[in-house]
Amino acid sequence: MTYLIDGLQYANWSEKIFREMRAGGVDAVHVTITYHETFRETVLVIEQWNRWFEQFPDLIFQGRTADDVRRARETGRTAIFFGSQNPSCIEDDIGLVEVLHTLGLRFMQLTYNNQSLLASGCYEDEDTGLTRMGRQVVAEMNRVGLVVDMSHSGERSTFEAIEHSSRPITISHANPASWHAALRNKSDDLLRALGESGGFLGLSIYPHHLKDGGQCSLQSWCDMAALAVDLVGAGQVGIGTDLCQDQPDSIVEWMRVGRWTKAIDYGEGSADNAGFPPMPVWFHDNRDLAGIRAGLRAAGLDEATTDGVMGDSWYAFFDTSFGVQSVP
Amino acid sequence: MTYLIDGLQYANWSEKIFREMRAGGVDAVHVTITYHETFRETVLVIEQWNRWFEQFPDLIFQGRTADDVRRARETGRTAIFFGSQNPSCIEDDIGLVEVLHTLGLRFMQLTYNNQSLLASGCYEDEDTGLTRMGRQVVAEMNRVGLVVDMSHSGERSTFEAIEHSSRPITISHANPASWHAALRNKSDDLLRALGESGGFLGLSIYPHHLKDGGQCSLQSWCDMAALAVDLVGAGQVGIGTDLCQDQPDSIVEWMRVGRWTKAIDYGEGSADNAGFPPMPVWFHDNRDLAGIRAGLRAAGLDEATTDGVMGDSWYAFFDTSFGVQSVP
């Protein structure tokens, strides 16, 4: 079976987008439901998703296990898996890890650019590595089956998460820095360590993570994918587009600024390029996802490796990551 | 299969009590997790239960479906089903009905003695029946599989809940008022209407609901059970002890007073009898539950009806009540 899975989107969700997921044959999407929101605010977002699931049962449903991806394919729908890009949703309460997992959360970043209670973000001057609470929370995430995601974390924190976590972690949406130098992209050493630990890399199509930004060609991106497979390992690389479709620029400001500053922080942008950057011409929405396949083949990936990047490898990662940790 | 199920307890939980459940062969208990607590406070209680489930996996686990009762029997454990005695946990937000159901809530009272946002409690002077929000919430509870419990509600509100609910409701812990007149016990007319609608009555052993209070004999209680079966229907009556084992008197005050008054309200007690009343000699903890069987047989109930009251009828009710409503 060849699945089509996107490992990260944060769109301004609508029936239009859900229909595009179906038109694109997308079996599963890991969607960000929360950044700087408190637990209660995160639950409000889950309530909104529950209404969408109730309203569009023929298009989408909530995914909880890898088997739901199979069920999505069989029933012609898209399985939606919840993730958080920051640990604000667990506040200072480790008990919320299991509660949010029960509500369907399957990924949680330990940081989003800044220092959190758990670890350091990639924009901090100092990277503390995992904090005392961070080590406890990683162990609890391991226990219940909530995947540690280090996409927006600092390098030392990410190395320590790989080391400390008893289950493979992910970087759900980033690219090799050796292809395009960006604070959010990851060093070859880090990607090799990720691969050796059984971890997973989702490749981003967010323009700030791309060589030549929005001008990046499909072939350049697919050549980068082949490089990533070499660094991390076949079977351990997938897609994590970071698609932020139909979002107003106020949302990228919320993502960057939250409530932690009264000033403006431009994150990966700048004062004269503050909004969402324009996407590459070959990727605007879920209907463009399947088109990546031909580029991967042209980049020299064999059939099985291509199937893996398109979704089969995420499927295998979901299958071993979302359940309660088996006690040896 | 003969199951042993208690349809309502609110003990000061401890390993001792969990071991007594096992010693008593209790397959499932509906436990109250919240009264006047907000959503966030209710989640804190769920977190505490999650720790108990983690700490005592050989004694207890969280029940979500009737099949978990079967699994409890097969694995020699007790399945714990969550319930709320007041709708404070959904605040003013109907979306929390599904969220709490996902977290395992299986019963919710529309009121606890007082007027709520949904209906009227049995201690109010005026009974409004179901409110505007009450009708919406009952429909949502029906949809997701959260059982409407009217144990502490006024008579008109209870009649209207029976009428408005598209799925059978329960009165999980009360007795016929024709046996012992108490505000919390229910009229014969109401119990007949409950039975005709497919609803369910759990019989209480809380002394204020008993003829002769704590002096009530097992045989008197079992004769009452036979009367209840006549009123509500064989297969629609079980046990809901209302056991509040090992609780300090401060807890009965919280149950009665919450944060709604600065004065003291004695509920079913009185100024000179303010605490928890002493239990009948034949029922102190979960080990005494199985002993009720002989009394029911002596009261003239046949074997099958006795099995039903002891747990098989709750099992059948769980089996049709906790899942998503099937669309006709």
Side-chain angles (χ1 to χ4, degrees):
Chain A
M1 179 61 86
T2 313
Y3 290 112
L4 184 54
I5 299 178
D6 190 348
L8 205 286
Q9 293 189 15
Y10 182 65
N12 188 7
W13 309 106
S14 63
E15 179 176 357
K16 182 192 83 173
I17 293 178
F18 301 143
R19 292 198 179 280
E20 287 171 358
M21 286 179 180
R22 295 317 313 140
V26 182
D27 297 305
V29 179
H30 161 207
V31 306
T32 295
I33 62 167
T34 182
Y35 289 87
H36 310 286
E37 288 84 350
T38 63
F39 172 70
R40 184 66 182 92
E41 290 168 336
T42 299
V43 168
L44 286 172
V45 180
I46 293 173
E47 293 175 35
Q48 175 60 68
W49 272 106
N50 283 341
R51 277 187 212 119
W52 283 321
F53 295 138
E54 191 183 352
Q55 202 175 352
F56 306 111
D58 299 336
L59 303 175
I60 56 170
F61 67 97
Q62 184 170 2
R64 296 173 173 276
T65 65
D67 199 52
D68 286 329
V69 181
R70 182 193 55 71
R71 196 157 61 94
R73 171 63 66 91
E74 287 179 4
T75 58
R77 297 180 293 165
T78 301
I80 302 292
F81 292 83
F82 293 163
S84 173
Q85 293 213 24
N86 201 39
S88 301
C89 55
I90 66 162
E91 301 174 352
D92 59 357
D93 180 357
I94 196 169
L96 290 177
V97 170
E98 183 168 4
V99 166
L100 282 163
H101 185 268
T102 302
L103 291 174
L105 202 72
R106 291 295 177 267
F107 297 90
M108 186 172 80
Q109 290 186 181
L110 300 192
T111 69
Y112 186 84
N113 298 350
N114 284 9
Q115 180 70 32
S116 74
L117 296 180
L118 311 181
S120 297
C122 59
Y123 280 75
E124 289 288 357
D125 297 330
E126 299 288 332
D127 186 343
T128 64
L130 294 189
T131 63
R132 284 156 51 88
M133 184 178 177
R135 290 190 290 271
Q136 295 296 323
V137 166
V138 167
E140 179 70 354
M141 292 171 74
N142 290 159
R143 184 180 73 84
V144 303
L146 179 55
V147 176
V148 174
D149 187 347
M150 298 301 277
S151 299
H152 283 257
S153 298
E155 177 144 310
R156 178 181 164 194
S157 288
T158 308
F159 270 114
E160 291 191 14
I162 291 168
E163 174 70 24
H164 184 78
S165 180
S166 62
R167 303 176 78 170
I169 75 161
T170 189
I171 294 168
S172 67
H173 56 303
N175 297 325
S178 60
W179 175 68
H180 175 61
L183 256 172
R184 276 274 284 101
N185 285 338
K186 308 302 177 188
S187 73
D188 287 0
D189 283 351
L190 184 59
L191 292 174
R192 280 193 203 95
L194 179 73
E196 284 160 15
S197 67
F200 200 96
L201 177 66
L203 300 171
S204 169
I205 313 182
Y206 194 66
H208 291 310
H209 309 156
L210 304 182
K211 189 192 287 188
D212 306 321
Q215 302 300 312
C216 181
S217 70
L218 173 60
Q219 210 47 60
S220 173
W221 191 88
C222 289
D223 291 342
M224 176 276 292
L227 165 72
V229 168
D230 284 342
L231 286 167
V232 182
Q236 293 172 263
V237 175
I239 298 170
T241 62
D242 209 359
L243 178 67
C244 295
Q245 193 183 346
D246 295 347
Q247 294 283 22
D249 287 342
S250 59
I251 289 296
V252 75
E253 190 174 309
W254 164 250
M255 287 155 62
R256 292 167 177 166
V257 168
R259 287 179 286 244
W260 64 270
T261 172
K262 289 156 60 180
I264 296 297
D265 181 84
Y266 293 108
E268 297 172 284
S270 56
D272 59 353
N273 184 18
F276 280 109
M279 296 294 287
V281 291
W282 49 272
F283 192 77
H284 285 110
D285 63 51
N286 283 275
R287 293 169 299 184
D288 297 324
L289 213 46
I292 294 172
R293 171 180 296 277
L296 294 173
R297 295 290 277 134
L301 295 190
D302 62 27
E303 185 90 19
T305 306
T306 300
D307 287 351
V309 173
M310 295 303 293
D312 285 0
S313 297
W314 266 130
Y315 178 89
F317 185 81
F318 286 15
D319 197 35
T320 55
S321 297
F322 295 162
V324 174
Q325 188 165 33
S326 52
V327 181
Chain B
M1 179 60 85
T2 312
Y3 290 113
L4 184 54
I5 299 177
D6 191 347
L8 204 287
Q9 294 189 13
Y10 183 64
N12 187 7
W13 310 106
S14 63
E15 180 176 356
K16 181 192 83 173
I17 294 178
F18 301 144
R19 291 199 179 280
E20 287 171 358
M21 287 178 179
R22 295 318 312 139
V26 182
D27 297 305
V29 179
H30 161 207
V31 306
T32 295
I33 63 166
T34 181
Y35 288 87
H36 311 286
E37 288 85 350
T38 63
F39 172 70
R40 184 67 182 91
E41 291 168 336
T42 299
V43 168
L44 287 172
V45 180
I46 293 173
E47 293 176 34
Q48 175 60 68
W49 272 106
N50 283 341
R51 277 186 214 122
W52 283 321
F53 294 138
E54 192 183 351
Q55 202 175 351
F56 306 111
D58 298 336
L59 303 176
I60 56 170
F61 66 98
Q62 184 171 3
R64 297 174 172 276
T65 65
D67 199 51
D68 286 329
V69 181
R70 183 193 55 70
R71 195 157 61 94
R73 171 63 66 94
E74 286 177 6
T75 58
R77 297 181 294 165
T78 301
I80 302 292
F81 292 84
F82 293 163
S84 172
Q85 292 214 23
N86 201 40
S88 301
C89 54
I90 66 162
E91 300 174 354
D92 59 356
D93 180 357
I94 196 169
L96 290 177
V97 170
E98 183 168 4
V99 166
L100 281 163
H101 184 268
T102 302
L103 291 174
L105 202 72
R106 289 296 177 266
F107 297 89
M108 186 172 79
Q109 290 186 182
L110 300 192
T111 70
Y112 185 84
N113 297 351
N114 285 9
Q115 180 70 33
S116 75
L117 296 179
L118 311 182
S120 297
C122 59
Y123 280 74
E124 290 287 356
D125 297 330
E126 298 290 331
D127 185 343
T128 63
L130 295 189
T131 63
R132 284 155 53 88
M133 184 178 178
R135 290 190 290 272
Q136 295 296 323
V137 167
V138 167
E140 179 70 354
M141 292 171 75
N142 290 159
R143 184 179 74 85
V144 303
L146 179 55
V147 176
V148 174
D149 186 347
M150 298 302 276
S151 298
H152 283 257
S153 298
E155 177 144 311
R156 178 181 163 195
S157 288
T158 307
F159 270 114
E160 290 190 15
I162 291 168
E163 174 70 23
H164 183 78
S165 180
S166 62
R167 302 176 80 170
I169 74 161
T170 189
I171 294 168
S172 67
H173 55 305
N175 298 324
S178 60
W179 175 67
H180 174 63
L183 255 172
R184 276 274 284 100
N185 285 338
K186 308 303 178 189
S187 73
D188 288 359
D189 282 352
L190 184 60
L191 292 174
R192 281 193 202 95
L194 179 73
E196 284 160 15
S197 67
F200 200 96
L201 177 67
L203 299 171
S204 167
I205 312 183
Y206 194 65
H208 290 310
H209 309 155
L210 304 182
K211 187 192 287 187
D212 306 320
Q215 302 300 313
C216 180
S217 70
L218 173 60
Q219 210 48 60
S220 173
W221 190 88
C222 290
D223 291 342
M224 176 276 293
L227 165 72
V229 168
D230 284 343
L231 286 167
V232 183
Q236 293 171 262
V237 174
I239 298 170
T241 62
D242 210 358
L243 178 66
C244 295
Q245 193 183 345
D246 294 347
Q247 293 283 22
D249 286 342
S250 59
I251 288 295
V252 75
E253 189 173 309
W254 164 252
M255 288 156 62
R256 291 166 177 167
V257 168
R259 287 180 286 244
W260 63 270
T261 173
K262 290 155 60 180
I264 296 296
D265 181 83
Y266 293 109
E268 297 172 283
S270 56
D272 57 354
N273 184 18
F276 280 109
M279 297 294 286
V281 291
W282 48 273
F283 193 77
H284 285 109
D285 63 51
N286 283 273
R287 295 169 298 186
D288 297 324
L289 213 46
I292 294 173
R293 171 180 297 276
L296 293 173
R297 294 291 276 133
L301 295 191
D302 62 27
E303 184 91 19
T305 307
T306 300
D307 287 351
V309 173
M310 295 303 293
D312 285 1
S313 297
W314 266 129
Y315 179 88
F317 186 81
F318 286 15
D319 198 34
T320 54
S321 297
F322 294 162
V324 174
Q325 188 165 33
S326 52
V327 180

